[in-house]
Every structure is written in structure tokens, then in C-alpha cells.
Amino acid sequence: MEMATQLRRSRARAMLPLMSRELIDLAKKPDASLAGKLRAAFSTEKLEDGSAVIADHGDFLYALESASAPQLYIDDEPAPPMKNLDGDLWYATARLLQGWSHAHFYRVDGKMLGDKRFDTAAYMDESYEQPGVPKGQVSDMMVHESAVYHGWKVSWWIYASPGVKPDTPAPVMSWADGHRFIQRDMRARLFPLTENLVHSKKIPPMVHVLISPTVVEDPVNGPYTPNGHTDMRSLLYDTVNDDYNHMVFGEIFPKAETMYKLRSDGYSTGACGQSSGGICAFNQAWQYPERVSRVISRIGTFTSIQWRWGQQAEDDSDRYGFQKPAQALEGGEMFPFLVRRRDKKNIRVWLSDGAYDHELPFGSWPLQNIQLANSLKMQGYDFRFRFSNNQHNTEQGEAELPEAMTWLWRGYDPAKTEETYEQDAVEKERPLFRVGIVNRSAR
């Protein structure tokens, strides 16, 4: 992509929050220009399929083109009637809880429009740029060739928040799918929220090491898993062994330490990821709690994706040249039971999922996350479980990330190298999580 095109897209993204606020305020006190501005802001496809929504600091604006009056549902409840503009154009505003994702869909003439639900993050205030807050520094993309994975190459970046000192080892977090976190004003908004939380002294100054599962050509506009390497991403992230730790801590962190000094104690090291990256972050701590003890797992794939029968593959290798195991291999579906039956590990876990997450042949994402949460509770782990109504996307995890980071790093003392994590007294008094059916009647 030409540099001029990249700059135009960057400027457009930088304008999105301002445009959102302007449109939402106009919709609250509309004038004759609102219809034109809504059509300019949203594509025809979005206005017709129900995905036209913007949010800013908990304020939401919905728009839809429909010949019949639509019924908007927010978080599965009917919203007040939408207002009509310019014939077929309808709109509504709502004030919704920040730190959560909110689902919406429409019914038109009694039928669900397109059979589609849409999740939108209501970002917390800390996720937005704030005046007077110093900014950190992020490196250019680097490429690492891994010995653990037989020459496989991955992209990675390093970010240092304000307050990180060149001569003082800093706390550090490893982020799976690192390319999803490097845009300041999109998706997780990791850098602004880190700067805001450091500025308000809710978390310590820290370094983020952001690692992708393959080489990323276009981190801004490219697909979730670049170059179609979904199977290789799963091998890195879903496999229940210590290989990924060997690449991260044995190969990439030493390179990172040539730029910033890093703490090497588990007390000062965290990991985060979503989907396969979510189980990856948990597995990092499970395999090596002395090196990484703080975990954020979002929509984690605690299912049988990398489970193996034990038979040798006919060609003895996959398309990347790695030999397929002849022995049986446990998959992520085992974690709820491993947590219940194995000795307690000294880790702190923020776990997050949603009622509309995947149901696939590999397993049930919502049920496995609920089981894992109950296992952590039963064994006395220091954990927090956030369960929303989101589908398999990152909207909930992105909305709650400031709260998750604050909780994960609470009480951090740079003078210490270890702490025994204990379950909060309030959590001990709470009951186990129970399951309810949300999309069928009881009879």
C-alpha cells in the first residue's frame, strides 16, 4: 500500500471519535442535517443489514433503513421506538453501561432482521486519549525466526509506557495476536489506556511485548490471522505444552531486553490474549507460574482444537513440516478438570466470555469458560469472571480492559519479587456460577 493511502486511512481513523461524538450529540438534538450526516457516516450496506452503530463514552447511536417501522432490541430487551427521518431512515440513541459490550438486533414485520446480532464495546473513559497524559513509545515491526518452531517467523513489537526507565527493569506483559493491539485509537486501545492507568497510578509503568502468530504485512487493515495461517496460529496457541513459553521467554524476550530492561520474576510478568490467544495466555502461566503469573484470557478456546487421538498421520507431517504426534495429546478442554484435580498454581486470572460464544465440534466456548471459572473458584484461585452476552468477538474484552488491567496489577510493589495470591474474601462468599438457557422458553 502506498504511504499516501496509509496516511489517509490513519487520518480517517483519528477522526472517528470526533465524528462519533458529533453525530451522537446531533441525534440527541436533531436538525435537518441529521439524515444526510447519517448516510454519509454509514455505508448503504450497514444501514440495511443493521450494523450501523457508533458509541462514545457509553453513548450509542443506532441507524437503520427500513420500509417498515423497526423494533430495536438492546441486550435482548426491546428499546424505546426509533424515530423516523427522511422516509425509510430510522435512528435511536441510548446511554449504556461502560466497560461492557452491548448486543443489538432488529425485528421488522415480526421477523429478526437477517438473523444477525451485533456487539459493540462501550469503552471505559480510560480507553480514550486524555489531555496532559504523556505517551509511551512503540517500536517498528520486527521479525523473529524461531528455533522452537523450526524456523517459523513471527512479527513482534515492543511498547514502553511513560515511566519506564532505561536502567531499571520494568514489569512486562506478553500479548498474543500482537498486531491487534498496536493501533492507538482502534480495537483494544491498549496504549492510551496503559498511559492513562499509569498516569493515575492504577498500574505500574510497564513494557508490552506484542507477538503475532506469523509475519504481518498489514497490521492495520489485514485479517485477524494474516496470510491464512489459522492452523499454525492454533498450533502455537492451543497446544497444551510449554513450547510457546520457550519461544517467548527463551528467544523473543532476550531480544526485547536489548531495548528495555525487563523484570524476570513471575510476580512482575503478565500475559493476555483472546480466543486461541486466551487459552495461550492461561497456558503460559499454567506451565510456568514462576515466570508469568498474571493472566487476562478473553473468549478463550478451552476446547479440543489441538486434542489428538494418537494415530500417526499418513504423511507423518503437516504442511508446515512439523511432525504430527503419534502419542495422544491433551487439548484445552482439559483445563477445567486439570485446575480442579492438580495442585493449585500461584497465578491470578481475569477470565471473560459471553453467552453467544461458539458452539462447535471442538466444544462449547461458553460452557468451558464457565466450568473453568468454577474450577478456579473451587480451588481458591485469585480470579475474576466476566460473563456477558457477546458472541465470539473481542468487543467485551476491549470494553473491560482498563478494569481488567487495574484488577490484574492491583497492589503491585516493585520492591517485591513474589506474592502468594489468595482468593478475595468477597468471592469466597459468592456461590458457584450456574447456567441458564437464554434463547428458549423453559417448556
Side-chain angles (χ1 to χ4, degrees):
M1 182 185 301
E2 294 181 359
M3 181 61 68
T5 305
Q6 291 179 324
L7 288 173
R8 281 197 299 272
R9 290 189 180 179
S10 262
R11 291 186 190 116
R13 286 191 302 274
M15 291 172 64
L16 281 175
L18 178 61
M19 183 191 74
S20 300
R21 184 75 262 164
E22 185 180 278
L23 270 176
I24 291 169
D25 289 343
L26 178 60
K28 291 180 178 179
K29 296 181 179 180
D31 60 29
S33 69
L34 179 57
K37 288 185 176 180
L38 286 174
R39 288 197 166 100
F42 299 114
S43 67
T44 300
E45 180 182 3
K46 286 182 175 293
L47 286 170
E48 292 179 348
D49 70 10
S51 62
V53 57
I54 53 176
D56 183 72
H57 290 84
D59 287 320
F60 280 63
L61 170 61
Y62 303 90
L64 181 73
E65 282 196 335
S66 172
S68 303
Q71 173 61 64
L72 169 65
Y73 286 76
I74 301 175
D75 295 333
D76 299 313
E77 296 293 332
M82 300 184 78
K83 298 176 182 179
N84 183 246
L85 278 173
D86 192 25
D88 293 345
L89 185 60
W90 305 79
Y91 77 100
T93 61
R95 177 70 187 177
L96 303 176
L97 183 65
Q98 291 175 258
W100 291 79
S101 70
H102 297 280
H104 81 273
F105 63 90
Y106 296 93
R107 290 191 183 277
V108 179
D109 297 328
K111 297 181 180 180
M112 186 172 176
L113 180 63
D115 293 325
K116 290 183 180 179
R117 294 166 57 91
F118 302 94
D119 298 322
T120 306
Y123 289 101
M124 300 179 71
D125 291 346
E126 292 91 343
S127 292
Y128 295 89
E129 301 273 1
Q130 296 180 0
V133 175
K135 290 181 171 57
Q137 294 183 328
V138 62
S139 71
D140 292 332
M141 187 186 80
M142 297 170 280
V143 175
H144 172 72
E145 184 174 331
S146 174
V148 172
Y149 293 103
H150 309 286
W152 186 253
K153 294 179 180 180
V154 299
S155 295
W156 69 288
W157 299 257
I158 188 167
Y159 164 89
S161 78
V164 170
K165 300 177 181 178
D167 57 345
T168 303
V172 59
M173 286 191 68
S174 167
W175 297 78
D177 292 308
H179 59 295
R180 301 287 294 184
F181 295 93
I182 63 170
Q183 291 85 48
R184 292 190 63 87
D185 57 354
M186 293 178 65
R187 299 169 179 152
R189 306 186 183 194
L190 175 62
F191 300 159
L193 74 84
T194 296
E195 291 150 8
N196 291 330
L197 294 177
V198 168
H199 189 69
S200 59
K201 302 188 186 311
K202 292 181 179 179
I203 64 173
M206 65 176 60
V207 169
H208 297 312
V209 179
L210 308 114
I211 307 169
S212 290
T214 183
V215 174
V216 179
E217 295 172 357
D218 185 358
V220 176
N221 302 294
Y224 194 101
T225 304
N227 305 318
H229 293 309
T230 54
D231 44 359
M232 187 61 195
R233 175 175 178 268
S234 181
L235 190 147
L236 266 65
Y237 291 171
D238 290 300
T239 304
V240 183
N241 63 22
D242 211 21
D243 287 351
Y244 189 73
N245 276 340
H246 286 296
M247 181 181 75
V248 172
F249 298 119
E251 298 177 356
I252 295 179
F253 269 42
K255 291 184 176 181
E257 288 189 279
T258 65
M259 293 172 272
Y260 299 98
K261 291 186 176 181
L262 306 177
R263 295 280 295 256
S264 61
D265 51 286
Y267 172 71
S268 302
T269 308
C272 178
Q274 57 276 319
S275 191
S276 292
I279 188 179
C280 177
F282 185 86
N283 184 62
Q284 283 186 266
W286 180 261
Q287 301 287 346
Y288 200 2
E290 300 84 5
R291 186 63 182 86
V292 52
S293 70
R294 302 174 191 266
V295 175
I296 298 175
S297 173
R298 313 168 348 166
I299 56 171
T301 58
F302 296 99
T303 59
S304 64
I305 294 177
Q306 284 296 327
W307 174 76
R308 294 289 181 267
W309 281 93
Q311 291 97 331
Q312 192 82 1
E314 290 184 6
D315 62 356
D316 293 325
S317 66
D318 65 14
R319 68 188 181 98
Y320 296 104
F322 301 114
Q323 186 166 334
K324 293 182 178 178
Q327 74 276 12
L329 182 67
E330 289 180 347
E333 82 284 352
M334 290 298 297
F335 268 126
F337 311 105
L338 291 173
V339 170
R340 294 187 192 206
R341 302 300 299 273
R342 297 283 296 275
D343 291 343
K344 180 184 173 186
K345 311 268 184 159
N346 188 36
I347 60 178
R348 175 180 286 174
V349 182
W350 178 285
L351 195 64
S352 175
D353 198 29
Y356 287 86
D357 202 349
H358 284 326
E359 294 284 341
L360 295 174
F362 299 116
S364 169
W365 272 243
L367 293 179
Q368 284 295 103
N369 275 274
I370 292 170
Q371 283 214 84
L372 180 55
N374 277 334
S375 298
L376 292 167
K377 178 174 174 57
M378 291 170 66
Q379 292 299 93
Y381 279 82
D382 186 16
F383 84 104
R384 182 73 61 86
F385 183 40
R386 179 63 53 81
F387 196 72
S388 182
N389 64 354
N390 57 288
Q391 302 168 87
H392 192 75
N393 56 48
T394 61
E395 298 296 319
Q396 175 61 36
E398 289 164 359
E400 71 193 17
L401 191 52
E403 183 182 356
M405 288 286 287
T406 299
W407 180 88
L408 192 71
W409 289 94
R410 72 192 192 281
Y412 179 80
D413 183 351
K416 296 167 59 174
T417 59
E418 60 182 2
E419 175 186 350
T420 300
Y421 300 124
E422 300 289 348
Q423 193 169 100
D424 183 83
V426 174
E427 178 57 46
K428 288 181 181 180
E429 299 301 317
R430 289 174 173 166
L432 292 166
F433 297 97
R434 295 300 180 187
V435 177
I437 306 297
V438 299
N439 64 341
R440 297 192 184 191
S441 65
R443 297 183 182 182

